Amino acid sequence: MDFKKLHQIEPGKSVKLKSIETKQGGPFKNKAEAVEFTADRNEKIRDLQYRMFVEQKQSLLIVLQAPDAAGKDGLIRKVLGQMNPQGCRTYPFKVPSEIERAHDFLWRIHQCTPATGMVSIFNRSHYEDVLVVRVEDLVPKKIWNERYEIINQFEANLVAAGTTILKFFLHISPEEQLERFKKRLDNPDKHWKLNTGDYAARDKWDQYREAYEDAIAKCNSKQSPWFVIPADNKWYRDASVAGIVHETLTQMDPKMPPVDVDLDEIRALYEREAAEQRS
Amino acid sequence: MDFKKLHQIEPGKSVKLKSIETKQGGPFKNKAEAVEFTADRNEKIRDLQYRMFVEQKQSLLIVLQAPDAAGKDGLIRKVLGQMNPQGCRTYPFKVPSEIERAHDFLWRIHQCTPATGMVSIFNRSHYEDVLVVRVEDLVPKKIWNERYEIINQFEANLVAAGTTILKFFLHISPEEQLERFKKRLDNPDKHWKLNTGDYAARDKWDQYREAYEDAIAKCNSKQSPWFVIPADNKWYRDASVAGIVHETLTQMDPKMPPVDVDLDEIRALYEREAAEQRS
């Protein structure tokens, strides 16, 4: 199954999110099959990530964008966060702090891009500066409208430095979002996630959709692609993202570096000491 | 089982590492029992970590120090790194960079201490500045000798700000280290870990042991305790650290914050919209 091909938006083309079904199951007959696939891919991802960490030649940046309750946290917990934490960091981008606002919008982002061998996971990102900022009218159109090109140049710079970029939009229906909000009410452990602003954003669903469509269409290239992930089924969301990350790491093909020490010499040293211990 | 009491070094007392057995099994009859215990504690740790993350009132700093091949990476992979990556970051401290060397030794460390709600895991730490720096004579004794007190004040400042500190020394025998070095030779996936310097450090085993004994004795308090973990058995290393982290988080007792929104109002809003959708 080629999940990349299945969910990648073709560069240069516009995208109509309404025409993409939010509830899909892909090739899986049922949830159990998808869960098994995800577990298998998680293991393979860890192995490839280890090789990339040791190889020290390339890096991976994963950008997550989504409406509230679409499942970014769950995806991190069940798939992306399963990577070895020594080579992987998660960065949440919330409302900018005073210091962050005193800089250009990419300043705080750039500090979190992955070093060689590393994976960065962005929970929200610089795309908020053409999404919430646009819909809530936080800066004039002239400003946010220039940002698409600025983002493209920024991402091209990262790619040129050896970073592979994957951008995921978790696509849920407003009905599914409402269901999930309701479930949060019934689970005291999720009450902290409730805030009255979430619900207000539902009134602007169409405006957000348009802002996403523009961001995806205008900042989409073969080197820095967007994927629209049908996310009403959590198990399909996890499986398809695991599939795409696995396909990507496989293409990156990280290799263990050649040995730069004399193995025989070291072996002789060890054997000598072990012999001394025994005698 | 009280793993904290079992392995904590009493503050104010000196420590003789030679008198602490490196190969222990604690209360476990066999490896399988320990592995089961670790899995159970990992799950409980994740739950408590989630509460701390949501509570946003306290933080946890875990410091790992050990001779090469004592198992820091394995411990992170199998226990500490099992925490939710959104609330947990691992920081490796290697040979300082040029910029880092241009600052005091705590400058790079301070940037990585945990924010409220977060866990930081230090893979090596500021203690290297009284360990390798002392044994390899990288700065005069006058300089490294002052650092114990500087470290104590630094850690006290973190504790005052709501950070709980746990410091683990993974204690292996030189024989076990040699065995592990030899195993690396036979596993091509571990060859990148080989370097001729590792072996050289074995000649200074006693000097390193003394440096560890001083660091542990001089920078040890009820608030910022050292634990000496018998690490020849990997399964006991994992189980005892998981036990100590679990006991600590239980004592920290993080609580879900009270709801600051009107649940009934939100519920009514949701029900109204759901009713509209149905009609």
Side-chain angles (χ1 to χ4, degrees), chain A residues 46-47 50-51 53-54 56 72-74 76-77 80-86 88-92 94 123 174-175 178-179 181-182 185-186 188-196 198-199 202 256-257 259-267 269-271 273-274 277-278, chain B residues 46-47 50-51 53-54 56 72-74 76-77 80-86 88-92 94 123 174-175 178-179 181-182 185-186 188-196 198-199 202 256-257 259-267 269-271 273-274 277-278:
Chain A
R46 276 176 82 104
D47 178 59
Y50 179 72
R51 283 166 195 279
F53 178 75
V54 175
Q56 285 285 317
K72 293 193 303 311
D73 292 345
I76 291 173
R77 198 170 61 246
L80 305 173
Q82 298 289 319
M83 286 190 262
N84 189 317
Q86 297 223 61
C88 179
R89 292 221 179 128
T90 302
Y91 298 94
K94 306 191 174 169
N123 185 343
E175 294 77 19
L178 190 62
E179 276 309 304
F181 280 169
K182 283 164 77 176
L185 281 169
D186 299 330
D189 276 4
K190 292 282 174 82
H191 281 173
W192 67 279
K193 286 200 169 194
L194 292 167
N195 93 54
T196 36
D198 297 341
Y199 190 84
R202 287 178 60 80
M256 303 300 276
V259 187
D260 63 351
V261 292
D262 184 335
L263 294 180
D264 288 336
E265 189 188 323
I266 295 181
R267 200 182 307 269
L269 205 65
Y270 292 175
E271 293 304 338
E273 192 187 319
Q277 277 176 16
R278 279 191 298 270
Chain B
R46 276 176 82 103
D47 178 60
Y50 179 73
R51 285 168 194 279
F53 179 74
V54 174
Q56 284 286 317
K72 296 193 302 308
D73 292 345
I76 292 174
R77 198 171 60 245
L80 305 173
Q82 298 289 320
M83 287 191 260
N84 189 318
Q86 297 222 61
C88 179
R89 291 219 180 130
T90 302
Y91 298 95
K94 306 190 176 171
N123 185 343
E175 294 76 21
L178 189 62
E179 275 310 305
F181 280 169
K182 283 163 76 176
L185 280 169
D186 299 331
D189 276 5
K190 291 281 173 81
H191 281 174
W192 66 280
K193 287 200 168 193
L194 293 168
N195 92 55
T196 36
D198 297 342
Y199 190 83
R202 288 177 59 80
M256 302 300 278
V259 188
D260 63 353
V261 293
D262 184 335
L263 293 180
D264 289 336
E265 190 188 322
I266 294 180
R267 202 182 306 269
L269 206 63
Y270 292 173
E271 293 303 339
E273 190 186 319
Q277 278 176 14
R278 280 192 296 270

Side-chain angles (χ1 to χ4, degrees), chain B residues 207-225:
Chain B
Q207 288 167 266
Y208 273 103
R209 196 188 55 232
E210 283 164 29
Y212 269 114
E213 288 172 347
D214 272 355
I216 292 171
K218 292 182 183 203
C219 301
N220 190 25
S221 67
K222 191 166 169 289
Q223 304 295 323
S224 183

